[in-house]
Every structure is written in structure tokens, then in C-alpha cells.
Amino acid sequence: MTGQKKLSTHACSVIDAALEKYPAEQKRSAVLAALHEAQHDNKGFLTEELMDAVADYLEMPRIAVYEVASFYSMFETKPVGRHSISICTNVSCMLGGSDTIVEHVEKQLGIKTGESTEDGRFYLKREEECLAACCAAPMMMIDHVYHENLTPKKIDEILAKFK
Ligand code: FES
């Protein structure tokens, strides 16, 4: 299959498993699974080369893959820190002091939202919309794990655990 040489053998096997769920003429249905695996396999971000490889592998237009990768916030198209932080700033969290939480995290990491730390440890991805944990506001998500009822002290303890 074309595109295979840019994707690892493991990534190809994961994509092949995803392809089994769809009719043979609907390979593009596996694009989210394919991009997810390609990103996971490349330290958390997609390159143009990898997106092209996914497009070739799934026999779909490259532009369509770029559109998917740029539409969904779970995909990164530039190098980012190893641990992705998203802080909820929607209504419940805002009322619970999310402004202070954002300020504290930015100060502790020495970066602004949207940036990664120089040591590559953290990526302060974005201010997030409601993550459905309002009863434990304010909250943030690190690598898809929720951290709730945040205080500056609790944040310091959480961040210290990440390498
Ligand atoms: S508003 Fe933050 S989790 Fe709902």
C-alpha cells in the first residue's frame, strides 16, 4: 500500500484493524483512527508528511486529511510538550475562579496558553469549554485525566508529578 513507508509497521497494523470496521470502499472512515495513531506514534503531533502518508494509505485526497487534522482539537500539527493541559473556563469553572487557575498555571510554567514549556514537559493547550465536571469546578484536564476542585496549592502538587 502507498503511504506505508512513512507510517510505522505498528501504525499500519492499528489502521488496518480500524479499516476492518468499514466497507472496503469506505477507507476514509478510518481517518480519525489513522491520524490518532500517526500522532501517537510521532510524540504527539502530526507532520505534513504523516498526514500525506495517512491520505495515501486510505486512498483519500490529502487536502481532506488536512481538513480533518485542523478541524479537531485533539490533533496537533506542530511539536508540543509531552503533557497536554486544558483548563476549563466555562461558566461553572469561571464562577469557581478559573481565571486565577489559568494565571497560576501560566505563572508556574512560565508560558502563556497555547505554548509549551522549553523543557518539553508541558503544553498549555487551551482554555476549554465545559468538560462536564461542573460540580467539581474549577477543573482542568491533563492528558485526558480530570483534575478537579483546583486550588493553586493543589495545582502545584499535580504538576510536580509529571516528568
Ligand atoms: S464549566 Fe467547567 S466543567 Fe463545566
Side-chain angles (χ1 to χ4, degrees):
M1 263 186 197
T2 55
Q4 192 157 4
K5 62 183 182 298
K6 303 286 176 6
L7 297 166
S8 71
T9 306
H10 177 70
C12 290
S13 68
V14 170
I15 297 168
D16 289 344
L19 281 169
E20 284 177 19
K21 298 178 192 159
Y22 306 107
E25 71 280 10
Q26 294 293 333
K27 285 186 174 180
R28 63 167 53 209
S29 300
V31 67
L32 290 178
L35 286 173
H36 184 269
E37 185 53 32
Q39 174 169 278
H40 178 71
D41 215 26
N42 190 52
K43 297 183 177 162
F45 72 101
L46 293 163
T47 61
E48 190 175 333
E49 194 176 46
L50 276 173
M51 289 187 279
D52 289 348
V54 165
D56 294 349
Y57 203 81
L58 300 180
E59 297 169 10
M60 59 188 285
R62 291 179 171 185
I63 185 70
V65 173
Y66 303 162
E67 285 168 354
V68 172
S70 59
F71 178 79
Y72 289 101
S73 63
M74 62 198 174
F75 297 121
E76 306 297 339
T77 53
K78 62 178 180 3
V80 293
R82 290 188 295 285
H83 303 291
S84 174
I85 305 174
S86 298
I87 302 171
C88 177
T89 54
N90 213 302
V91 177
S92 299
C93 288
M94 183 190 72
L95 293 172
S98 62
D99 286 359
T100 310
I101 300 301
V102 171
E103 265 174 39
H104 185 75
V105 173
E106 287 184 340
K107 183 167 155 255
Q108 292 305 88
L109 298 183
I111 54 174
K112 291 288 178 196
T113 299
E115 297 176 347
S116 295
T117 55
E118 263 185 34
D119 61 3
R121 204 156 64 111
F122 290 109
Y123 171 38
L124 186 49
K125 184 170 174 135
R126 60 196 232 147
E127 292 186 16
E128 194 58 80
E129 296 302 323
C130 180
L131 288 168
C134 309
C135 57
M139 62 83 68
M140 66 180 174
M141 181 171 69
I142 305 182
D143 298 340
H144 304 290
V145 174
Y146 283 18
H147 298 274
E148 304 171 339
N149 298 306
L150 295 174
T151 62
K153 182 173 180 291
K154 191 167 177 185
I155 289 169
D156 293 348
E157 290 166 3
I158 293 165
L159 295 180
K161 291 182 185 152
F162 286 87
K163 302 256 182 257

